[in-house]
Amino acid sequence: YDDAVQLFRQALELAPDSPAVLLNLADAEFLAGRETEANHSYRELLDVLERDPGAEEHLTIGAQALAHLGHVSEALAAVHEALRQTPDNPLTAYEASLVFAVLGDRASALWHAQRALELGLDARWFVFPWFDALRADLQAPTD
């Protein structure tokens, strides 16, 4: 993940207020074992979203940062609003699953992960460590 951190830092120079780049940088830092740096990047992401008038379209990105920072109520509120707005979006279901996994709600994480797969998301999205506890129970949809 060290290489990913460097690539996302370079991307951040090109797009300093990109919520997606900030989230990916924070996640890469977290996965590289640099929790302090990751938390700083998650907070920076939340600052960018607070200044962004279009932040409503980044609810699940913000929810992920909130979950990683331990802001449970705010993360849940954001993810539930995103699911209300786009209930049939596979990426929203995936990101909801990730939020629930980070928060330790295995049942909700598994339900939303399964929903993401049923909506057409590829199973390779679930390779990240926060899905370790779910992976054995995920079932590829049958046609």
Side-chain angles (χ1 to χ4, degrees):
Y1 295 105
D2 290 327
D3 290 342
V5 168
Q6 293 310 312
L7 290 173
F8 287 121
R9 285 186 199 276
Q10 291 171 4
L12 196 57
E13 290 176 17
L14 300 173
D17 289 335
S18 169
V21 172
L22 280 164
L23 176 64
N24 286 319
L25 172 60
D27 286 346
E29 289 169 331
F30 180 84
L31 293 169
R34 296 195 289 266
E35 191 171 342
T36 300
E37 292 89 341
N39 288 341
H40 175 77
S41 294
Y42 289 129
R43 284 191 294 276
E44 187 176 343
L45 166 58
L46 293 175
D47 289 344
V48 165
L49 291 177
E50 193 172 299
R51 295 188 310 267
D52 182 0
E56 189 79 4
E57 68 187 56
H58 301 294
L59 283 170
T60 54
I61 288 176
Q64 290 174 67
L66 290 164
H68 281 286
L69 292 170
H71 299 275
V72 177
S73 296
E74 294 170 88
L76 291 174
V79 82
H80 285 296
E81 179 59 20
L83 288 165
R84 185 192 67 73
Q85 289 180 13
T86 55
D88 295 324
N89 183 310
L91 191 55
T92 301
Y94 167 79
E95 291 175 328
S97 175
L98 192 153
V99 168
F100 287 115
V102 169
L103 294 176
D105 181 346
R106 185 183 184 287
S108 295
L110 183 58
W111 192 91
H112 288 286
Q114 195 61 52
R115 176 86 172 126
L117 291 172
E118 290 166 3
L119 289 169
L121 196 74
D122 193 279
R124 71 175 171 240
W125 284 71
F126 295 95
V127 299
F128 295 104
W130 30 79
F131 295 112
D132 286 351
L134 307 179
R135 206 168 298 114
D137 293 325
L138 287 175
Q139 299 174 7
T142 57
D143 293 329

